[in-house]
Amino acid sequence: MDLSRRRFLQAAVLTAAAAGATAACGGGTGASGSKDSKNLKFWYWAGGLSDKVVADAEKHFSDVSLKTSVIGGDFKTKLLTGMKTAQTAPDITGIKGEDIASFLPNAGRFLDLNSLGMDKLAPEYLSWKLKQATTQDGKLIGFPIDIGPCAMYYREDLFAKAGLPTDPAKVSSELSTWDAYFEAGVELHKAVPKTFLVNNIGSVFSMAVGQGTSRFIDADNKFIGDQDHIRTAWTTAVKPYTLGIDAKINDNTWNAAIGNGTLGTEIGAAWHALDISNAAPGTKGKWRVASLPSGPSNLGGSFLCLPSTCANPEKAFEIIKWILSPENQARGFTDAALFPTAPAAYELPALTGGDAFFGGQKTIEIFGPAAEKIPAAYEAPADAAVSAAYFNELTNVEAKGKDPETAWKDAVSQAKQIAQRQGVK
């Protein structure tokens, strides 16, 4: 694939900065007429769900006509347009993880799933993920489809050449901090000069921020992107650059780099395994997975939601509950690399088997524990827009040789301006 899911997420951050939190705009009309319609419209995007599970849902719920549409292009924009009237709005829709926060200020445009029975199901799903779709007054607008627990992917053969540990448990133990990981990168680059540790420092920054319980804006809508937790994440991200172990890849040359040994490791979500295997099928068996240095982090993960205009809320909730049951989430992992939000799925054969691309390793032993320990952090509607300034400046460090300290000051200054335009204090 030319564009990995990670790059889609990075692009989404930059788009948010330019467009602002457009979901806050007014719009949809209220629900009207009967609430027991037998005709339901269901929107999602390619890869957002297992197409096989969706097709089975159409058969399973034979008492209704479920018209599914795989929407291409800018899904969020098309959804906002569709929700302007009850006639054009879907009854069930996906919302991408990077967009959910921007919909929370207008949660009234969606049904509170707790009122339909999600409050009883909640203990079966990851609490930190549910929190991302929950308003401050407790309304839940999204049923979590998937998550992106993160790990370190590494080339076992290249680690062996550098005299580094190769067993996943040992790598996880010995490279358990960012500093230990970077030290290993120096050794790796010294032994195999063409091989670098990280693809770009923005990926390190994203992981480091995600390891904390605070982001760029707090629950009181106050800008905190200049505080120690973000400064520490920035300092951590810049280290590979200053140590000379950053490949500085911010374009599609990643595909070649992942296959030719330019990259000895990748830090990414569980779904990133598909990016790696698609880009470098010839490296099958050479990769392994270890825990992310310094603790769990998450990247990505989407939701199913019911607009307030939904023509049959009870039936629609039955449908999404069935699609996102632990058993069907396990199928989603097999079909579309969607990592389940229901821990019960982690015990099912679809996730407990060995992965041939990773030398037969049972990768759930890394991703499962990480998924359950990801810290809950408040994500404000303007979070993506504000964070874009930091990623832009980290790219300037790599691409233009900008002084990291100057870049930090500029990132904070730009982020504050964006925050003010978004109504952040």
Side-chain angles (χ1 to χ4, degrees):
M1 60 174 61
D2 291 330
L3 191 61
S4 72
R5 203 184 318 187
R6 168 185 282 170
R7 265 184 242 298
F8 275 119
L9 289 172
Q10 290 175 335
V13 168
L14 300 180
T15 299
T22 55
C25 298
T29 62
S32 61
S34 171
K35 282 293 186 178
D36 59 359
S37 173
K38 300 298 183 185
N39 298 294
L40 297 176
K41 293 175 287 185
F42 185 175
W43 289 11
Y44 67 105
W45 55 91
L49 290 165
S50 162
D51 292 331
K52 293 177 183 177
V53 170
V54 172
D56 284 349
E58 293 175 9
K59 298 173 188 172
H60 185 80
F61 295 94
S62 56
D63 56 329
V64 296
S65 173
L66 185 61
K67 182 182 178 183
T68 58
S69 300
V70 178
I71 307 296
D74 187 334
F75 187 89
K76 179 181 176 182
T77 298
K78 291 182 179 179
L79 176 60
L80 287 168
T81 300
M83 287 178 64
K84 287 181 178 178
T85 70
Q87 291 71 34
T88 57
D91 300 289
I92 303 170
T93 185
I95 289 184
K96 296 184 179 182
E98 60 268 27
D99 295 328
I100 192 71
S102 68
F103 283 95
L104 290 177
N106 282 324
R109 301 180 72 183
F110 298 91
L111 297 175
D112 177 6
L113 301 184
N114 285 329
S115 69
L116 294 166
M118 191 64 196
D119 54 341
K120 297 179 180 64
L121 287 176
E124 299 175 27
Y125 294 83
L126 293 165
S127 60
W128 64 265
K129 188 63 179 177
L130 290 168
K131 186 176 180 180
Q132 291 181 351
T134 302
T135 64
Q136 288 181 289
D137 61 355
K139 294 184 177 69
L140 177 68
I141 68 169
F143 198 134
I145 297 172
D146 68 315
I147 56 172
C150 296
M152 181 215 319
Y153 298 91
Y154 66 97
R155 282 279 297 268
E156 183 192 46
D157 56 329
L158 298 179
F159 269 42
K161 279 186 182 180
L164 296 170
T166 57
D167 176 72
K170 212 164 185 183
V171 173
S172 298
S173 173
E174 294 189 22
L175 278 60
S176 63
T177 66
W178 286 115
D179 283 342
Y181 174 56
F182 299 150
E183 287 170 14
V186 171
E187 293 302 312
L188 178 63
H189 187 55
K190 190 185 301 180
V192 190
K194 76 166 189 175
T195 299
F196 296 85
L197 187 73
V198 300
N199 67 335
N200 61 56
I201 56 179
S203 63
V204 179
F205 183 70
S206 177
M207 298 292 156
V209 171
Q211 289 172 326
T213 56
S214 298
R215 295 182 62 82
F216 302 90
I217 301 163
D218 68 15
D220 294 323
N221 201 35
K222 181 182 176 184
F223 176 76
I224 54 173
D226 55 354
Q227 293 186 7
D228 288 348
H229 65 291
I230 298 296
R231 177 71 211 218
T232 299
W234 176 278
T235 301
T236 298
V238 169
K239 279 184 182 177
Y241 172 80
T242 57
L243 290 170
I245 52 175
D246 170 24
K248 306 175 188 175
I249 296 171
N250 287 288
D251 56 27
N252 286 340
T253 59
W254 178 86
N255 278 30
I258 205 70
N260 64 20
T262 297
L263 290 172
T265 77
E266 273 283 287
I267 47 174
W271 46 255
H272 194 46
L274 192 60
D275 294 334
I276 296 172
S277 61
N278 283 346
T283 61
K284 180 179 179 179
K286 296 180 179 179
W287 289 90
R288 299 290 183 273
V289 185
S291 299
L292 186 70
S294 292
S297 188
N298 181 74
L299 186 63
S302 301
F303 299 85
L304 286 180
C305 306
L306 306 182
S308 59
T309 52
C310 178
N312 191 333
E314 288 76 17
K315 181 58 68 174
F317 183 72
E318 277 185 50
I319 292 170
I320 64 175
K321 180 173 72 172
W322 186 87
I323 288 174
L324 298 177
S325 68
E327 295 76 16
N328 281 329
Q329 285 202 359
R331 293 176 62 197
F333 179 76
T334 300
D335 297 341
L338 300 167
F339 197 88
T341 59
Y346 307 162
E347 309 288 332
L348 300 177
L351 282 90
T352 58
D355 190 323
F357 189 82
F358 296 101
Q361 181 184 353
K362 296 179 179 180
T363 59
I364 189 62
E365 294 176 357
I366 298 294
F367 291 117
E372 298 193 62
K373 294 176 184 174
I374 289 167
Y378 172 72
E379 186 169 340
D383 187 273
V386 170
S387 69
Y390 300 86
F391 290 100
N392 283 335
E393 285 300 325
L394 286 169
T395 300
N396 285 340
V397 170
E398 291 178 315
K400 301 177 182 178
K402 188 169 182 176
D403 173 63
E405 186 60 28
T406 302
W408 162 256
K409 291 175 182 176
D410 289 348
V412 170
S413 175
Q414 292 163 27
K416 282 182 177 178
Q417 292 174 33
I418 295 168
Q420 288 172 354
R421 291 198 296 271
Q422 299 284 340
V424 177
K425 301 172 194 172

